[in-house]
Amino acid sequence: MGIKMWDIIIAVLCMTLTCLVWVMLYDSNRFVIRKYKVADRRIRKPGRAVVLSDLHNKTYGKHNQRLLAAIREQKPDFVLIAGDILTARPGAGLEPALQFLQELSREYPIYYGNGNHEHRLKLYPEIYGDMGQVYGKALSEMGIEPIVNSHVMLAEYGIVVYGLEMDKVYYKRFRVPYMDPGYLQEVLGQPSETCYTVLLAHNPDYFPRYAAWGADLVLSGHVHGGVARVPFFGRGVLSPGCRLFPRYDGGVFKEGKSLMVLSRGLGMHTIPVRLFNPGELWVVDFEQGGL
């Protein structure tokens, strides 16, 4: 009887492990489309944006044709990037990211906010050589100029897009470093009150600071949905900062009058798997209305 019980337990464990491996492989190679609408009286003209984050050189089909087809199907007016389209790894190729962006730039205006991986290439040439320069030059030739602690006015829409490239100290592991309340004002200036303000801020941990600064909509990534998500509980397990069950793991968050759309990203790095956590392609519709 005891032997039979152990046989059953081992069989159940094997089946469970097989199912988990299958889900992991499945989720690591697919993405879902999420949609959100914002409305504000300052928005002058309706517009649709596709939001990309944390692709990390991942390709969906040859030359990312599956991802490009999904983007085209949404018929966006422009593309907003919340960082980490590539992975900063010494000697790694830039081709997957550049091929994808080249194709995209032929069809849509692209507003690119850097993540910690793009920033890292520039900060440490002694580690990454000329990768930062090569990447920046290639983007420039495509007509893409990353928005680095500055902003771009989309006048016809009544939208202003800011790109935050925060100091590396704010990407510490195991804790969320303190950010001085005046830091964003110092690096970004005062947001416009007459336009709808979109902030491309890769790290979501500082959403309360972004809200206090005056962002109407924050677009973030970085956390990858927590790598694995707990079924039914619906929480991400681990952040890149090695914190368990991070507060901001994916989805839509509200702080005062500010909203944050936090993408679970499209790719992976360091821990190259996803579990109950497929990639996400976000679509944000900007509409006229509101108070």
Side-chain angles (χ1 to χ4, degrees), residues 119-284:
H119 192 200
R120 198 182 299 167
L121 292 183
K122 297 186 298 180
L123 282 179
Y124 304 110
E126 69 276 12
I127 297 175
Y128 302 106
D130 64 352
M131 288 176 67
Q133 289 179 321
V134 171
Y135 190 66
K137 182 181 179 183
L139 291 183
S140 184
E141 289 172 352
M142 297 176 202
I144 302 172
E145 297 295 339
I147 310 171
V148 179
N149 295 334
S150 59
H151 62 275
V152 173
M153 184 73 72
L154 310 186
E156 64 178 311
Y157 296 100
I159 295 170
V160 58
V161 180
Y162 283 78
L164 172 65
E165 185 177 83
M166 61 172 58
D167 191 86
K168 64 177 182 178
V169 71
Y170 298 111
Y171 286 99
K172 293 288 186 183
R173 298 197 174 200
F174 307 111
R175 63 187 178 87
V176 179
Y178 174 78
M179 178 184 282
D180 187 277
Y183 176 76
L184 294 177
Q185 177 91 22
E186 180 182 335
V187 298
L188 294 174
Q190 182 66 35
S192 169
E193 294 183 2
T194 59
C195 293
Y196 188 81
T197 299
V198 176
L199 177 63
L200 304 176
H202 185 65
N203 187 346
D205 287 333
Y206 296 95
F207 179 41
R209 286 283 188 258
Y210 306 150
W213 171 74
D216 296 301
L217 175 65
V218 178
L219 300 176
S220 290
H222 188 55
V223 183
H224 300 186
V227 181
R229 300 184 67 76
V230 182
F232 309 112
F233 182 45
R235 292 287 302 278
V237 175
L238 185 67
S239 78
C242 299
R243 297 189 305 278
L244 290 173
F245 302 108
R247 176 184 179 187
Y248 301 117
D249 58 352
V252 179
F253 298 86
K254 185 174 176 60
E255 182 82 25
K257 295 181 180 180
S258 298
L259 293 166
M260 178 170 68
V261 171
L262 172 54
S263 172
R264 296 186 176 105
L266 285 156
M268 303 154 286
H269 77 93
T270 308
I271 303 175
V273 295
R274 288 176 173 267
L275 182 63
F276 303 112
N277 180 36
E280 289 186 339
L281 176 68
W282 275 88
V283 179
V284 176

Side-chain angles (χ1 to χ4, degrees), residues 40-108:
D40 192 272
R41 59 179 176 76
R42 293 165 294 176
I43 295 174
R44 297 171 191 162
K45 171 185 170 181
R48 168 169 282 193
V50 159
V51 181
L52 304 172
S53 179
D54 299 278
L55 185 59
H56 286 292
N57 281 333
K58 172 75 175 175
T59 56
Y60 290 95
K62 187 176 181 180
H63 303 312
N64 254 319
Q65 288 305 312
R66 279 171 52 205
L67 180 56
L68 287 164
I71 292 171
R72 292 178 182 123
E73 190 175 299
Q74 298 307 313
K75 296 180 171 58
D77 297 295
F78 49 92
V79 174
L80 298 171
I81 294 178
D84 283 5
I85 296 301
L86 51 72
T87 297
R89 183 179 296 121
L94 301 172
E95 290 78 12
L98 291 176
Q99 286 176 353
F100 171 67
L101 291 170
Q102 179 72 70
E103 193 73 24
L104 210 56
S105 67
R106 293 191 181 110
E107 301 178 47
Y108 311 105

